[in-house]
Amino acid sequence: MTPSTIPPEPKPNAWRIIAVAGLVEFALLAGLGWWPGATFPWAGLLIFAGAFTAYAVAATQVLHTQRGHLYIWGVVILMRLVLLPLTPELSDDIYRYLWDGQVQLAGINPYRYAPAAAELARVTTVYQGLINNPGVHTIYPPLAQLAFLAIALVGGAIFQAKLLWLGLDLGTAWLLGRVASITGRSRRLTQLLYLWSPLLVVEVAWSGHMEPLGLFAMVLVILLARTPISAGAALALAALTKFAPAAVVPTLTRRLGWRFLVGFAATAGL
């Protein structure tokens, strides 16, 4: 084996360090969400820094032991569950998601009117006073809008939106594990780096941000790279969630050929 493929030497204490780091990160994130004194900027940032430190320590140890796969996923679930019931405080984006879904449920195109428009007077929700920039039309692309409609169809609550995003979040981690296995990387390290990220946990489980929808599609692009049409379709789904992934269309078209561009354009057009 070349030096780059030689596995790291096992360390007898690596598993214990990971176990303690996971408990510390869980406790700090729970405190960030539930402790009234954990306000930003200073107290909140210090707690966040501690959570990132525990995260980094765990990441440095995971290659030195073969134990703890179920523990890693157990901590993942606990970190998300402890923040799931909380009302978003660091962002109000979720209220726009829910509003766009309710507008569609009323049979109105969400791109036609801003929330404050008189034409939407008959659409009322308990949270509409919390929508940011109510005089501005929605900025979210079509696949995001379909997700918002799906949430509205099952009740249109913050909790239901978070459950959808968290399901896609865990699905993205599973796909990343597949990518790691196929490309000869550590599945456990890859999944830990994604799932234990304090920023990801807070933004999705607490703030209810929709990024896992696009991330899921972006990882599919990697898995489907050998079938360019499918990879193009997956990238279109990512770009129809938030536009930024479209920036790699020229690069991937050069690498994967014209079929990739056909898959992207056909899916985006549809």
Side-chain angles (χ1 to χ4, degrees), residues 174-195:
W174 184 83
L175 290 180
L176 283 170
R178 293 278 301 143
V179 171
S181 298
I182 292 169
T183 57
R185 293 169 171 83
S186 167
R187 181 166 58 100
R188 288 190 307 139
L189 175 59
T190 300
Q191 291 179 328
L192 185 142
L193 287 173
Y194 176 81
L195 287 168

Side-chain angles (χ1 to χ4, degrees), residues 10-94:
K11 292 183 179 179
N13 292 324
W15 157 239
R16 293 190 184 95
I17 293 172
I18 293 171
V20 172
L23 290 175
V24 169
E25 183 178 347
F26 167 74
L28 289 171
L29 291 179
L32 184 67
W34 289 94
W35 178 43
T39 55
F40 285 87
W42 302 117
L45 288 175
L46 285 173
I47 293 172
F48 225 0
F52 266 101
T53 300
Y55 165 64
V57 168
T60 64
Q61 299 298 312
V62 73
L63 292 179
H64 295 290
T65 178
Q66 295 303 311
R67 298 174 60 190
H69 185 69
L70 290 179
Y71 176 81
I72 289 171
W73 276 87
V75 171
V76 162
I77 300 299
L78 287 176
M79 286 191 294
R80 285 156 173 78
L81 285 179
V82 76
L83 297 178
L84 180 62
L86 292 172
T87 301
E89 294 180 14
L90 306 178
S91 168
D92 52 13
D93 289 351
I94 195 167

Side-chain angles (χ1 to χ4, degrees), residues 162-173:
K162 286 187 179 185
L163 284 180
L164 175 58
W165 309 143
L166 286 173
L168 289 163
D169 186 31
L170 298 179
T172 299

Side-chain angles (χ1 to χ4, degrees), residues 151-165:
I151 295 166
L153 287 169
V154 296
I158 291 175
F159 184 77
Q160 291 155 335
K162 286 187 179 185
L163 284 180
L164 175 58
W165 309 143

